[in-house]
PDB file of all heavy atoms in Angstrom:
ATOM      1  N   TYR A 207      42.264  18.048 -25.456  1.00  0.00           N
ATOM      2  CA  TYR A 207      41.517  17.530 -24.376  1.00  0.00           C
ATOM      3  C   TYR A 207      39.984  17.710 -24.498  1.00  0.00           C
ATOM      4  O   TYR A 207      39.477  18.553 -25.253  1.00  0.00           O
ATOM      5  CB  TYR A 207      41.865  18.305 -23.037  1.00  0.00           C
ATOM      6  CG  TYR A 207      43.192  18.030 -22.557  1.00  0.00           C
ATOM      7  CD1 TYR A 207      44.369  18.739 -23.024  1.00  0.00           C
ATOM      8  CD2 TYR A 207      43.517  17.055 -21.514  1.00  0.00           C
ATOM      9  CE1 TYR A 207      45.643  18.539 -22.522  1.00  0.00           C
ATOM     10  CE2 TYR A 207      44.810  16.890 -21.166  1.00  0.00           C
ATOM     11  CZ  TYR A 207      45.893  17.593 -21.547  1.00  0.00           C
ATOM     12  OH  TYR A 207      47.062  17.393 -21.073  1.00  0.00           O
ATOM     13  N   LEU A 208      39.245  16.773 -23.819  1.00  0.00           N
ATOM     14  CA  LEU A 208      37.773  16.984 -23.536  1.00  0.00           C
ATOM     15  C   LEU A 208      37.802  17.798 -22.147  1.00  0.00           C
ATOM     16  O   LEU A 208      38.335  17.200 -21.184  1.00  0.00           O
ATOM     17  CB  LEU A 208      37.223  15.666 -23.425  1.00  0.00           C
ATOM     18  CG  LEU A 208      35.601  15.746 -23.300  1.00  0.00           C
ATOM     19  CD1 LEU A 208      35.078  14.427 -23.797  1.00  0.00           C
ATOM     20  CD2 LEU A 208      35.176  15.991 -21.851  1.00  0.00           C
ATOM     21  N   THR A 209      37.260  18.961 -22.253  1.00  0.00           N
ATOM     22  CA  THR A 209      37.319  19.736 -21.008  1.00  0.00           C
ATOM     23  C   THR A 209      35.807  19.954 -20.474  1.00  0.00           C
ATOM     24  O   THR A 209      34.821  19.955 -21.305  1.00  0.00           O
ATOM     25  CB  THR A 209      37.977  21.110 -21.226  1.00  0.00           C
ATOM     26  OG1 THR A 209      37.185  21.801 -22.183  1.00  0.00           O
ATOM     27  CG2 THR A 209      39.300  21.079 -21.686  1.00  0.00           C
ATOM     28  N   ILE A 210      35.675  20.134 -19.262  1.00  0.00           N
ATOM     29  CA  ILE A 210      34.331  20.404 -18.540  1.00  0.00           C
ATOM     30  C   ILE A 210      34.482  21.736 -17.884  1.00  0.00           C
ATOM     31  O   ILE A 210      35.370  21.969 -17.098  1.00  0.00           O
ATOM     32  CB  ILE A 210      34.060  19.179 -17.592  1.00  0.00           C
ATOM     33  CG1 ILE A 210      34.068  17.885 -18.266  1.00  0.00           C
ATOM     34  CG2 ILE A 210      32.605  19.514 -16.991  1.00  0.00           C
ATOM     35  CD1 ILE A 210      33.870  16.776 -17.269  1.00  0.00           C
ATOM     36  N   SER A 211      33.458  22.576 -18.094  1.00  0.00           N
ATOM     37  CA  SER A 211      33.326  23.781 -17.379  1.00  0.00           C
ATOM     38  C   SER A 211      33.275  23.638 -15.838  1.00  0.00           C
ATOM     39  O   SER A 211      32.525  22.694 -15.398  1.00  0.00           O
ATOM     40  CB  SER A 211      32.191  24.701 -17.753  1.00  0.00           C
ATOM     41  OG  SER A 211      31.938  25.685 -16.912  1.00  0.00           O
ATOM     42  N   ARG A 212      34.014  24.284 -15.027  1.00  0.00           N
ATOM     43  CA  ARG A 212      34.115  24.153 -13.539  1.00  0.00           C
ATOM     44  C   ARG A 212      32.695  24.547 -12.984  1.00  0.00           C
ATOM     45  O   ARG A 212      32.297  24.206 -11.894  1.00  0.00           O
ATOM     46  CB  ARG A 212      35.139  24.955 -12.911  1.00  0.00           C
ATOM     47  CG  ARG A 212      36.502  24.428 -13.175  1.00  0.00           C
ATOM     48  CD  ARG A 212      37.556  25.061 -12.334  1.00  0.00           C
ATOM     49  NE  ARG A 212      38.959  24.678 -12.699  1.00  0.00           N
ATOM     50  CZ  ARG A 212      39.453  23.572 -12.158  1.00  0.00           C
ATOM     51  NH1 ARG A 212      38.755  22.866 -11.258  1.00  0.00           N
ATOM     52  NH2 ARG A 212      40.642  23.110 -12.400  1.00  0.00           N
ATOM     53  N   LYS A 213      31.884  25.300 -13.827  1.00  0.00           N
ATOM     54  CA  LYS A 213      30.553  25.618 -13.327  1.00  0.00           C
ATOM     55  C   LYS A 213      29.423  24.786 -13.814  1.00  0.00           C
ATOM     56  O   LYS A 213      28.279  24.941 -13.661  1.00  0.00           O
ATOM     57  CB  LYS A 213      30.233  27.233 -13.711  1.00  0.00           C
ATOM     58  CG  LYS A 213      31.167  28.075 -13.043  1.00  0.00           C
ATOM     59  CD  LYS A 213      30.703  29.565 -13.553  1.00  0.00           C
ATOM     60  CE  LYS A 213      31.531  30.507 -12.825  1.00  0.00           C
ATOM     61  NZ  LYS A 213      31.235  32.026 -13.069  1.00  0.00           N
ATOM     62  N   SER A 214      29.811  23.701 -14.512  1.00  0.00           N
ATOM     63  CA  SER A 214      28.871  22.696 -15.114  1.00  0.00           C
ATOM     64  C   SER A 214      28.260  21.814 -14.089  1.00  0.00           C
ATOM     65  O   SER A 214      29.003  21.350 -13.124  1.00  0.00           O
ATOM     66  CB  SER A 214      29.606  21.857 -16.245  1.00  0.00           C
ATOM     67  OG  SER A 214      28.680  20.855 -16.673  1.00  0.00           O
ATOM     68  N   ARG A 215      27.010  21.422 -14.208  1.00  0.00           N
ATOM     69  CA  ARG A 215      26.276  20.498 -13.274  1.00  0.00           C
ATOM     70  C   ARG A 215      26.811  19.083 -13.676  1.00  0.00           C
ATOM     71  O   ARG A 215      26.443  18.167 -12.991  1.00  0.00           O
ATOM     72  CB  ARG A 215      24.801  20.592 -13.453  1.00  0.00           C
ATOM     73  CG  ARG A 215      24.313  20.265 -14.775  1.00  0.00           C
ATOM     74  CD  ARG A 215      22.839  20.608 -14.974  1.00  0.00           C
ATOM     75  NE  ARG A 215      22.256  20.194 -16.232  1.00  0.00           N
ATOM     76  CZ  ARG A 215      22.343  21.043 -17.350  1.00  0.00           C
ATOM     77  NH1 ARG A 215      23.039  22.131 -17.371  1.00  0.00           N
ATOM     78  NH2 ARG A 215      21.728  20.569 -18.425  1.00  0.00           N
ATOM     79  N   PHE A 216      27.583  18.829 -14.675  1.00  0.00           N
ATOM     80  CA  PHE A 216      28.057  17.622 -15.176  1.00  0.00           C
ATOM     81  C   PHE A 216      29.481  17.282 -14.636  1.00  0.00           C
ATOM     82  O   PHE A 216      30.177  16.329 -15.000  1.00  0.00           O
ATOM     83  CB  PHE A 216      27.986  17.379 -16.613  1.00  0.00           C
ATOM     84  CG  PHE A 216      26.575  17.417 -17.072  1.00  0.00           C
ATOM     85  CD1 PHE A 216      26.177  18.379 -18.151  1.00  0.00           C
ATOM     86  CD2 PHE A 216      25.622  16.558 -16.646  1.00  0.00           C
ATOM     87  CE1 PHE A 216      24.914  18.480 -18.433  1.00  0.00           C
ATOM     88  CE2 PHE A 216      24.391  16.535 -16.984  1.00  0.00           C
ATOM     89  CZ  PHE A 216      23.927  17.621 -18.020  1.00  0.00           C
ATOM     90  N   MET A 217      29.996  18.242 -13.797  1.00  0.00           N
ATOM     91  CA  MET A 217      31.337  18.032 -13.252  1.00  0.00           C
ATOM     92  C   MET A 217      31.524  16.572 -12.579  1.00  0.00           C
ATOM     93  O   MET A 217      32.601  15.987 -12.727  1.00  0.00           O
ATOM     94  CB  MET A 217      31.719  19.004 -12.134  1.00  0.00           C
ATOM     95  CG  MET A 217      32.212  20.350 -12.795  1.00  0.00           C
ATOM     96  SD  MET A 217      33.963  20.187 -13.382  1.00  0.00           S
ATOM     97  CE  MET A 217      34.822  19.963 -11.783  1.00  0.00           C
TER      98      MET A 217
END
Side-chain angles (χ1 to χ4, degrees):
Y207 291 84
L208 186 159
T209 62
I210 306 174
S211 169
R212 291 189 180 277
K213 295 183 178 180
S214 171
R215 62 187 182 280
F216 297 121
M217 275 286 294

